[in-house]
Structures are given as structure tokens and as C-alpha cells.
Amino acid sequence: MKHFTLLLSLLFSVYAFAQSDCSNSQNVSLQVDGTTTVNSSGVSGTAPTSTCNSIFYTASDVSAGDWYTFTPSQDLVVTITAAVPGSVTNDYIASASAYEGSCGNLICVGGDLITVDGQDNLVPVEIQFIASANTAYYIAFDDYYANIPAPDGPLGTTAAFSFDVSTSTNIPTAPNAATNPTPTDGATNVDVVETTDDNGGPIEQVAIQWNEPTTGPTPTGYEVYLGTDQNSLNFLGTAQSDAAGSPINITGMQYDTTY
């Protein structure tokens, strides 16, 4: 009886802590052109040091993580989904990041969290990306909602939950690159337009525009990033496909600065 009890305790420990950090991520066995449901024991491991949901929160806003990994043997479209909680008080409210690379050098490929739509309905998590053959990918769920301070939080718990990983071999063809960007790459002495806001305050802005590709699939939209460090750009927002060719005014531009 003592040996039997010890064995059960050991198995429980392995199950509970298998996904405690990136280096101990639980392996997900992918089904090609199918769906794998993964059951988590909860978010209680090491928090990720970076988040792929940076427009909502930073790594300093989370204190725990739940880690998974997979390495596909062929190129696949991968979709990670987590359903809305049955109770925003008693259930885990999902927020997740997906990375490629190694535990010491994780690169974001997608992120999402439970949000609310215009009708106050909860929207499930969905992260989709194209995974390359023989490349390691990592999924980290975190405790963002349960870690929100009062009076707005905490929300939900870090209790057990489940999520799905679906794959497809039907990989879409990417559109060709946009062309004729204005300002051009490497342009100097770019004109800064000075105007004022509704309160009479000064605004310095630069108009950017481009042409959509004339061959290949039609883009569904464009994500615009800007910054003074090419390795750390800020996401400004998404422009619709028909925005190509129409100037978009970027405000807050400074003279004598390289962007």
C-alpha cells in the first residue's frame, strides 16, 4: 500500500508541474488537418518574460504562466483557440502568447486574450499563424486577468481549463509586397506638416502612403509600425486594403529624427 500511494503521488507531481516553465513545456501532439484538445491543470508556473499582447498589457502585469510546445514535421496553418469562461468569477479567463525559437530567444508569432465585443459578448481567444517544419513553437497562457488589481480586478481564477490546437495543410499564398512607399526608403529631409489640434496645440505630422501589389492575392489589410529603433517598433494600427494609395497622417513626428 505504501508503494502504491508513493507512485500515485509521484505521477500527480509530474502532471502538475510538467508545464511549469518554458524549458519544461508540455509537449502537444499535433493532429495534421485535425484538432487536439489540451487539458491544463491551471496557470501556476513561471510567467513569460515577454507578451505577444503588448497593446493590452506587458510582462510586468503577469506573475504566472502555463507552458506548452510543439514542433511540426511539415508546414502547417496552426490555430490555437480557448473558449470563453462559463463564469468570469470562478473560471480561468484566457490570455495567451505564441512564440517560435528557443526558451532563451522567444519571438512572438501571435497573441490573443478574451475580449468583449460591441454587444458586451465575450470573444474567445484565437491565435493563427503558419508554422514551419522542424521549428519549435511555444504557447504560454498567463494570469493577466486574475492579476488585475482592485477595483477592476482580479477577474476569474487560474484554475484548470482546456484549449484546442487545430492544424491545416491548406496554406494560403501570401500577397506580394506593397510598392512605391512614400516617403521612400532612406529618404532624408522629409517634409513635416505643422498643424494644430482642436485645442490649438501644435501637431507635427508626416503623410505616408503606398500602392497595393498588382499581382498575387489581394491583401485584406496592412499593419503599420513605427519607431526610432528598427528592433523595437510600435504598432500604430491596422489600415484596410483600400487604404493603399491614400495618405495616412502620422502625428507626433520630431525634426532631426530617423524613423
Side-chain angles (χ1 to χ4, degrees):
M1 179 62 70
K2 290 182 179 179
H3 290 289
F4 183 68
T5 302
L6 179 62
L7 179 60
L8 284 179
S9 299
L10 179 61
L11 289 174
F12 178 79
S13 297
V14 171
Y15 175 77
F17 298 105
Q19 60 272 24
S20 60
D21 57 36
C22 181
S23 60
N24 292 296
S25 299
Q26 178 176 319
N27 186 66
V28 176
S29 297
L30 298 180
Q31 294 187 39
V32 176
D33 287 322
T35 298
T36 300
T37 298
V38 182
N39 295 313
S40 166
S41 58
V43 181
S44 59
T46 303
T49 56
S50 64
T51 172
C52 303
N53 295 310
S54 57
I55 63 173
F56 294 99
Y57 59 94
T58 66
S60 63
D61 296 318
V62 300
S63 59
D66 186 40
W67 292 84
Y68 300 87
T69 187
F70 62 87
T71 303
S73 59
Q74 64 186 94
D75 292 352
L76 294 168
V77 177
V78 173
T79 306
I80 302 164
T81 54
V84 300
S87 167
V88 295
T89 302
N90 301 315
D91 296 332
Y92 172 63
I93 306 177
S95 50
S97 298
Y99 313 90
E100 67 177 5
S102 62
C103 289
N105 184 30
L106 295 174
I107 302 170
C108 284
V109 294
D112 198 15
L113 68 165
I114 299 292
T115 54
V116 179
D117 65 15
Q119 287 73 46
D120 290 332
N121 298 311
L122 295 178
V123 181
V125 165
E126 180 176 297
I127 303 171
Q128 187 175 81
F129 56 92
I130 297 177
S132 300
N134 304 314
T135 299
Y137 293 88
Y138 296 87
I139 308 166
F141 288 87
D142 60 54
D143 64 344
Y144 167 65
Y145 281 110
N147 216 38
I148 294 177
D152 297 324
L155 301 173
T157 67
T158 55
F161 67 100
S162 63
F163 65 96
D164 292 334
V165 181
S166 302
T167 70
S168 172
T169 54
N170 184 20
I171 300 176
T173 302
N176 292 327
T179 59
N180 299 323
T182 303
T184 59
D185 184 28
T188 59
N189 298 320
V190 173
D191 290 334
V192 177
V193 177
E194 296 184 346
T195 182
T196 58
D197 59 23
D198 294 338
N199 297 318
I203 297 177
E204 290 79 26
Q205 63 187 24
V206 171
I208 66 170
Q209 64 186 106
W210 61 91
N211 293 337
E212 66 179 2
T214 57
T215 58
T218 301
T220 57
Y222 303 88
E223 292 184 349
V224 181
Y225 296 80
L226 180 75
T228 56
D229 180 354
Q230 62 183 333
N231 297 312
S232 181
L233 299 178
N234 298 311
F235 175 61
L236 300 186
T238 301
Q240 298 301 315
S241 180
D242 57 10
S246 300
I248 296 177
N249 291 321
I250 307 299
T251 59
M253 309 295 284
Q254 301 295 316
Y255 293 106
D256 299 320
T257 302
T258 299
Y259 291 96

